Amino acid sequence: MSTLKHKGKGPQAMTANELRDGFNVWLDKNLDWTRDYENSLRTEDQDLIDRMQLKAETDEAKNIVVGTYFIDVEPDTGLPARYREKFRVNGPSYDTADLLEAK
Amino acid sequence: MYRYDEFDAQFVAERTKQFRGQVERRLAGRLSENEFRPLRLMNGLYLQLHAYMLRVAIPYGTLSSEQFRMLAHLAEKYDRGYGHVTTRQNMQYNWPKLPDVPDMLDDLASVQMHAIQTSGNCIRNVTCDPYAGATAEEIEDPRPMAELIRQWSTLHPEFTFLPRKFKIAVTAAKKDRALIKAHDIGIQIVKNKAGEVGYKIIVGGGLGRTPIIGQTLREFLPKSELLAYLTATLRIYNRYGRRDNKYKARIKILVQETGIKEFTEQVEAEYATIDISDIAVSQAEKDRITAYFASPDFESLENEPAGYTAELGSNKAFALWAKNNVAAHKASGYAIVNISLKPKELAPGDITAEQMRITADLSDKYSFGELRTTHQQNLVLPHVKQSDLPALFTELQKAGLASDNINLITDIICCPGMDFCALATARSIPISQAIAERFADPERQRTIGEMQIKISGCINACGHHHVGHIGILGLEKAGVEFYQVKLGGDASEDAAIGKVTGPGFSQEELIDGIENMVELYLAKREEGERFLDTYNRIGMAPFKEVLYA
Ligand code: HEM
Ligand code: SF4
């Protein structure tokens, strides 16, 4: 569920889904959306966090993304803290489509 | 097979056109997500963990070859080459893109299909015995009744905003292949003492976070009173069902809190106020619907023709497949063929576009162009000549569709879990694959015999784990998946909810534990006992002991 109210702990990243294609995206350091979590901005800087929030609200209103929310990031690994969010970063561990592509 | 009348066709076309407009307005920014979300859900479109997901309704699990080819087309053109058969006999696509969805719905409409009422607090797709119209066990084909309910419930003005979703399942055989006792309403076609055909109505079953086995609301309802009686029942639910708490909003909670006796009295009192003739469907209309489900023109054939029995004798692989995947047909010389979607290499219920097309062709060649999806996430060719079975088997083998594991330990029901589902707490597909791997030896599977393992990736229980002989629920704590085990569930006419064994396991411990329990069963079983029977006879304690060893 989209919740912009950020009550997170530690470093934060901003995530959403692309409106058209549905794919998961994160804000990068230029405050553009990236499908690659590696390139995402993860920060504890409150000013940056405020700008991320503003950008998310703006792009949601502009119908570029849907369901924006902050996620907690593990300071040591840089990965999302929540298990579910780790999955959103990695994609399915199994997908029949991958087997078809491998063929 | 049922074909839409003009009203249906026009309605679906209008609905698709409407949705196209809504998608356009959404993409152009004239609809916000808050406005759009209920609209897309009404058309079967979810936003999942990684992408959109489209759920296509397959009314009562019956498909024509033409429709199945269209599902293949959608998989190929708009998705990533495959689809997923759900436990409610529907088809899900995991990777559609929003701008494509109206085209998908148009394509579906061209073969009389849609995605309406696959979501939301309405009466959902009616599910049905996949052997309907083919098994000698049934009193009559339950699909005309299912179709009648579909027509009645589609966009029913009074029942479009129920306290919560509402699921109906129907069967006409004693042997329950539709899980009628785990639905909001289950309907069984029965005969009374006078030999009249009517309905037994079960109410208040369900899985989810509060699993409950349905109870009998009416032992015998005359046929002509069905819609009126359903109306009365839905009215009581609509009036008294809880809207304050989503988790207590299903009819099962209302029935439980009211008590079946009082609930029945309420329904009967409401029923007494209804003028049956207001809702009754004319005989002509019933005949019209029933005609669509008329049996195909079966030839008069001998059972067990020579070519078939010779092949049974000479081809071991064929014989094993036939023994396990083929069921008796009502017409002499014919058979019901189960196609397993549980090969070791694919996720349970997944089928590639190519396999869909091949199956559609095979159904044209061997089964009057008809096929079925099952809640076990498999397929059925309902009407195959026994003399064609060897040729069909060979073609299924070529397509990777000849797994002979129906109802065995690797015929696992499994929801998408954390690999796809936004609500999941843990993965379920890798668990089913690890079990399939551990019990890969077909000989061993046959030695174990009938065994139903069912896996859900969260408490919503889409994978039916409550009614698995072994049920598995995926949970997560501090970033680590773990799996809780239930034993003794039963999805048959003797439906029962399994009991939790205790604390959960890691994946590796779980697979070892299952193997230990299977070994215990093999050591303890008496003549003819399935795992479930042995469990019911000796109880949980010995199984628990080896599970936690
Ligand atoms: C991926 C998107 C899905 C979502 C968001 C979803 C959501 C849910 C939720 C919230 C419930 C509980 C409803 C309640 O208790 O009122 C539920 C139940 C159920 N779902 Fe799903 N589900 C999904 C996929 C599936 C799939 C893939 C299947 C089949 C394999 C399935 C089959 C069922 C069934 C049979 C139930 C019935 C349990 C009951 O009696 O409530 N669902 N689903
Ligand atoms: S049981 Fe949970 S994880 Fe599985 S499909 Fe249903 S909602 Fe998703």
Side-chain angles (χ1 to χ4, degrees):
Chain A
M1 237 336 47
S2 134
T3 153
L4 270 172
K5 278 209 199 67
H6 130 246
K7 300 189 220 92
K9 276 203 283 272
Q12 300 292 303
M14 171 58 78
T15 187
N17 287 82
E18 292 174 1
L19 173 66
R20 294 179 69 87
D21 291 356
F23 292 131
N24 298 333
V25 285
W26 298 265
L27 277 182
D28 67 14
K29 61 178 187 315
N30 302 320
L31 298 189
D32 291 326
W33 296 99
T34 173
R35 288 184 184 178
D36 187 355
Y37 179 76
E38 287 283 299
N39 300 330
S40 70
L41 173 61
R42 288 155 268 176
T43 179
E44 288 192 78
D45 181 327
Q46 193 55 50
D47 281 351
L48 271 177
I49 289 176
D50 289 344
R51 284 176 54 205
M52 287 157 89
Q53 166 138 355
L54 188 63
K55 173 69 176 171
E57 278 168 6
T58 311
D59 284 356
E60 195 151 16
K62 287 206 295 206
N63 304 299
I64 296 168
V65 292
V66 292
T68 57
Y69 58 98
F70 279 110
I71 58 171
D72 291 351
V73 174
E74 294 169 352
D76 43 346
T77 63
L79 288 172
R82 269 187 75 202
Y83 185 65
R84 175 184 192 278
E85 294 304 323
K86 288 196 173 82
F87 255 90
R88 288 181 73 249
V89 165
N90 293 327
S93 65
Y94 170 88
D95 185 3
T96 295
D98 297 334
L99 293 184
L100 291 171
E101 272 165 25
K103 273 193 196 168
Chain B
M1 200 164 309
Y2 189 75
R3 302 200 68 84
Y4 286 166
D5 60 18
E6 257 171 59
F7 168 76
D8 271 319
Q10 193 186 342
F11 159 67
V12 172
E14 272 169 21
R15 182 68 174 263
T16 309
K17 197 166 145 222
Q18 242 176 26
F19 190 58
R20 183 178 293 283
Q22 288 157 356
V23 169
E24 275 163 15
R25 275 179 283 145
R26 177 71 186 103
L27 289 169
R30 276 178 282 136
L31 279 178
S32 71
E33 186 61 15
N34 277 345
E35 291 163 324
F36 181 63
R37 192 170 169 274
L39 300 173
R40 72 166 155 75
L41 285 174
M42 270 159 56
N43 289 285
L45 186 65
Y46 291 73
L47 190 54
Q48 280 299 321
L49 196 61
H50 311 289
Y52 289 105
M53 180 274 279
L54 183 70
R55 183 180 289 161
V56 175
I58 302 177
Y60 31 89
T62 295
L63 284 165
S64 68
S65 55
E66 185 195 19
Q67 291 174 322
F68 208 40
R69 266 182 217 107
M70 184 54 81
L71 294 180
H73 168 77
L74 292 193
E76 220 158 55
K77 179 155 183 202
Y78 306 106
D79 207 89
R80 296 182 63 195
Y82 74 99
H84 174 78
V85 176
T86 79
T87 43
R88 300 208 76 253
Q89 298 179 295
N90 292 328
M91 177 76 85
Q92 288 187 182
Y93 296 100
N94 287 329
W95 302 103
K97 306 226 168 17
L98 182 57
D100 288 339
V101 175
D103 295 339
M104 295 174 86
L105 296 181
D106 271 345
D107 286 351
L108 285 170
S110 74
V111 292
Q112 324 225 328
M113 294 182 81
H114 58 69
I116 297 166
Q117 286 183 215
T118 59
S119 169
N121 295 334
C122 54
I123 301 173
R124 303 284 190 91
N125 186 28
V126 179
T127 52
C128 179
D129 182 352
Y131 291 0
T135 173
E137 294 164 13
E138 72 189 10
I139 290 171
E140 64 179 34
D141 190 336
R143 289 173 302 162
M145 179 247 291
E147 172 56 26
L148 193 64
I149 297 174
R150 185 192 71 79
Q151 296 190 9
W152 164 77
S153 66
T154 300
L155 292 193
H156 194 299
E158 198 177 336
F159 305 135
T160 305
F161 297 99
L162 294 166
R164 197 80 179 82
K165 58 178 148 179
F166 205 89
K167 299 179 180 178
I168 301 178
V170 301
T171 183
K174 265 219 183 76
K175 188 159 174 45
D176 182 6
R177 283 172 289 259
L179 205 59
I180 58 171
K181 288 185 182 159
H183 280 76
D184 297 284
I185 285 186
I187 306 174
Q188 184 186 352
I189 297 184
V190 291
K191 268 191 188 150
N192 66 5
K193 286 207 182 77
E196 294 156 329
V197 174
Y199 305 117
K200 177 175 177 173
I201 310 288
I202 313 257
V203 72
L207 300 174
R209 65 183 63 219
T210 318
I212 298 178
I213 299 296
Q215 304 181 72
T216 304
L217 181 61
R218 218 0 148 91
E219 278 295 343
F220 186 85
L221 182 73
K223 263 183 119 170
S224 58
E225 299 182 29
L226 180 67
L227 295 184
Y229 199 76
L230 290 181
T231 301
T233 311
L234 265 299
R235 275 190 188 159
I236 296 301
Y237 172 51
N238 216 6
R239 193 175 307 153
Y240 300 121
R242 290 181 59 170
R243 292 174 191 266
D244 59 320
N245 180 340
K246 178 172 148 179
Y247 300 121
K248 296 194 187 265
R250 296 287 288 267
I251 196 173
K252 63 189 172 188
I253 305 289
L254 177 66
V255 174
Q256 191 181 49
E257 288 184 351
T258 317
I260 185 70
K261 190 161 166 286
E262 194 181 333
F263 183 82
T264 308
E265 286 165 9
Q266 289 172 348
V267 170
E268 296 292 342
E270 177 66 32
Y271 188 49
T273 71
I274 294 179
D275 181 352
I276 298 173
S277 61
D278 270 359
I279 308 180
V281 179
S282 71
Q283 193 55 45
E285 175 61 10
K286 278 190 206 153
D287 291 346
R288 187 186 73 85
I289 292 177
T290 306
Y292 285 108
F293 297 95
S295 283
D297 285 329
F298 296 123
E299 294 169 40
S300 99
L301 299 168
E302 292 283 311
N303 264 329
E304 309 196 344
Y308 169 53
T309 49
E311 192 71 10
L312 285 176
S314 62
N315 180 345
K316 183 152 182 253
F318 173 70
L320 291 172
W321 172 82
K323 181 158 180 266
N324 210 56
N325 288 31
V326 175
H329 197 281
K330 65 180 179 186
S332 153
Y334 284 82
I336 300 170
V337 171
N338 288 280
I339 300 176
S340 164
L341 298 184
K342 317 293 172 64
K344 218 172 72 188
E345 57 280 6
L346 296 191
D350 279 8
I351 178 166
T352 69
E354 192 192 351
Q355 289 177 323
M356 289 186 224
R357 237 175 237 126
I358 292 170
T359 316
D361 292 348
L362 292 176
S363 83
D364 276 338
K365 201 159 158 192
Y366 298 118
S367 183
F368 297 92
E370 207 187 294
L371 38 93
R372 311 281 170 79
T373 50
T374 80
H375 86 265
Q376 305 260 50
Q377 303 178 290
N378 293 313
L379 298 175
V380 165
L381 293 180
H383 314 295
V384 180
K385 277 185 200 164
Q386 291 171 9
S387 56
D388 285 337
L389 288 171
L392 171 62
F393 176 66
T394 308
E395 298 196 47
L396 288 172
Q397 269 183 319
K398 275 191 248 159
L401 289 167
S403 299
D404 57 359
N405 59 353
I406 293 290
N407 273 329
L408 301 183
I409 191 167
T410 56
D411 184 6
I412 298 168
I413 288 189
C414 177
C415 80
M418 185 66 101
D419 283 310
F420 294 97
C421 181
L423 303 174
T425 40
R427 284 175 297 169
S428 45
I429 295 170
I431 300 299
S432 80
Q433 290 183 319
I435 296 171
E437 185 75 34
R438 181 68 65 93
F439 293 95
D441 177 3
E443 200 54 50
R444 189 176 180 206
Q445 291 186 39
R446 283 190 287 274
T447 305
I448 298 165
E450 186 189 324
M451 162 74 101
Q452 298 192 344
I453 297 187
K454 303 181 196 279
I455 312 174
S456 304
C458 82
I459 193 68
N460 287 321
C462 306
H464 292 182
H465 69 279
H466 298 300
V467 290
H469 299 176
I470 298 180
I472 300 170
L473 167 63
L475 297 164
E476 177 244 343
K477 199 167 168 188
V480 181
E481 291 167 316
F482 69 100
Y483 296 89
Q484 209 177 59
V485 173
K486 279 194 152 187
L487 294 177
D490 189 342
S492 76
E493 55 281 9
D494 306 314
I497 307 288
K499 288 202 180 65
V500 177
T501 57
F505 303 91
S506 69
Q507 175 174 328
E508 292 85 272
E509 292 167 332
L510 172 71
I511 310 299
D512 289 343
I514 291 176
E515 191 164 31
N516 291 346
M517 291 197 295
V518 167
E519 291 302 326
L520 177 77
Y521 147 68
L522 291 174
K524 298 276 181 189
R525 75 174 165 189
E526 291 179 354
E527 187 65 27
E529 272 185 352
R530 303 167 300 164
F531 176 91
L532 180 63
D533 303 322
T534 305
Y535 169 85
N536 283 335
R537 179 170 54 80
I538 69 177
M540 182 185 281
F543 285 97
K544 201 169 155 175
E545 198 173 309
V546 298
L547 178 63
Y548 289 89

